[in-house]
Amino acid sequence: MTGHWSILAIVSVQVLCAVVFVWQILASVLGFAPFSWQISELIEMGAALGLLLGMGLGLIVLRRTMARNVVVEDQLRAASGAFMDVMEERFTTWALTPAERDVALFAIKGMSTTEIAALREVSEGTIKAQTNAIYRKAGVAGRMQLLSLFIDDLMEPASATNG
């Protein structure tokens, strides 16, 4: 939440500084000077410093955001690797054949029976028979329950290693 306020503060300072510069330009063009030139110069220097400060703070926020993205990407890669490990462990426990492993992976990825059949260059009937064998070995009724087994394992890794 602190990041949101700091970004709002940076943008506010930059907007204020831009308004000061536009106001100064309009005052010059229209020929009125509400302040002496010394005061006007001080206001412009303050606005320029404000823009520089906003730029500096913006760079700090950008660096932090980029660093946070690296951490999140690493966590996502780890989760993806963990998901693959959980799948391989389950496939081994269920004693899936290589063909069933491929079909299970494609099914978990959300591919339809037709798409899996086309990729594997077999009939849809073969894929249906293989998915039924997978569901039977896994002890589930369908694709969603199959997927939920892996999600449960990832959400509760202690139960997968202890059970």
Side-chain angles (χ1 to χ4, degrees):
M1 195 65 168
T2 304
H4 296 298
W5 287 109
S6 60
I7 291 173
L8 182 61
I10 291 167
V11 170
S12 298
V13 166
Q14 290 178 330
V15 166
L16 179 64
C17 294
V19 167
V20 166
F21 280 124
V22 169
W23 179 69
Q24 289 289 90
I25 291 168
L26 284 175
S28 296
V29 169
L30 297 176
F32 70 90
F35 303 113
S36 68
W37 68 270
Q38 294 97 343
I39 299 292
S40 293
E41 292 296 318
L42 287 173
I43 291 172
E44 284 182 14
M45 284 179 21
L49 287 173
L51 287 174
L52 288 173
L53 176 67
M55 189 173 67
L57 292 175
L59 287 172
I60 290 169
V61 169
L62 178 63
R63 282 186 58 209
R64 287 182 181 169
T65 301
M66 290 173 67
R68 186 174 34 227
N69 284 351
V70 168
V71 169
V72 169
E73 286 172 0
D74 287 345
Q75 290 172 337
L76 183 59
R77 270 193 293 280
S80 177
F83 188 75
M84 291 303 292
D85 291 344
V86 166
M87 276 196 323
E88 284 301 320
E89 185 179 306
R90 287 287 188 145
F91 290 173
T92 301
T93 302
W94 299 331
L96 298 184
T97 66
E100 289 170 344
R101 285 175 181 255
D102 288 346
V103 171
L105 180 61
F106 291 141
I108 289 167
K109 286 184 175 184
M111 297 177 128
S112 70
T113 302
T114 305
E115 292 169 326
I116 297 170
L119 281 173
R120 302 226 358 104
E121 297 178 350
V122 296
S123 72
E124 288 184 40
T126 301
I127 299 302
K128 288 178 183 177
Q130 289 172 327
T131 54
N132 286 331
I134 293 164
Y135 300 154
R136 185 183 71 254
K137 290 177 181 182
V140 297
R143 188 181 297 211
M144 293 311 295
Q145 284 184 343
L146 181 69
L147 182 57
S148 73
L149 289 176
F150 298 108
I151 293 171
D152 288 344
D153 281 352
L154 287 173
M155 292 177 69
E156 299 177 30
S159 65
T161 57
N162 294 335

